[in-house]
Amino acid sequence: MSEVTTVGGVVPSLSFICLEAIMNIVEAHRYHPQVINDICKYLQGAQHLLNPILEFLIEKKAITDVALSAFLIPDRVHLNLTNCPHIKKSTLKQIGFNCPNLLSLNLSDCQQVSNAVV
């Protein structure tokens, strides 16, 4: 039997291992929107995996309009797009239509936000 690799003395969960692998794939493909779309399609209904991927892309400043659209799904209840100034109005307008169950939305520092978007 092989030895289990630990993270800080704790055996990582399967979700953690999957997320790490997915993020490595996304980085290896240089945040290509089609790769992100495919991942979102395969993980549909698995918000516990999709949310950290979206946060990762936002943190890396790698979220694009096309990539964000893949994350705009009816099950989404929270969306934090803080510091995403390059997201276009047309994409921001999709949020309300594609995320009818949204309870919280943060658009701080999104330069494209206007009354029409809200």
Side-chain angles (χ1 to χ4, degrees):
M1 185 179 270
S2 64
E3 189 174 315
V4 176
T5 304
T6 63
V7 177
V10 177
V11 177
S13 68
L14 181 58
S15 291
F16 178 86
I17 294 168
C18 290
L19 277 171
E20 190 173 64
I22 290 167
M23 290 178 192
N24 286 337
I25 290 168
V26 169
E27 280 187 311
H29 290 278
R30 298 181 184 205
Y31 311 102
H32 193 279
Q34 186 58 51
V35 172
I36 294 167
N37 282 338
D38 289 346
I39 288 169
C40 289
K41 183 175 99 180
Y42 294 124
L43 294 178
Q44 195 171 32
Q47 284 296 324
H48 66 286
L49 294 175
L50 286 175
N51 288 336
I53 295 168
L54 177 59
E55 291 169 11
F56 170 77
L57 292 171
I58 291 170
E59 178 184 310
K60 294 287 187 178
K61 305 231 183 273
I63 193 73
T64 63
D65 292 292
V66 174
L68 178 59
S69 293
F71 290 94
L72 300 180
I73 57 175
D75 293 344
R76 180 159 302 286
V77 291
H78 303 286
L79 185 57
N80 183 356
L81 296 176
T82 302
N83 297 318
C84 295
H86 51 280
I87 300 297
K88 296 178 186 167
K89 281 184 195 180
S90 57
T91 304
L92 293 172
K93 287 180 180 180
Q94 292 177 21
I95 295 170
F97 296 108
N98 296 335
C99 305
N101 297 311
L102 200 63
L103 298 175
S104 69
L105 174 64
N106 188 343
L107 299 174
S108 300
D109 298 322
C110 290
Q111 296 170 352
Q112 296 286 324
V113 175
S114 65
N115 286 340
V117 169
V118 175

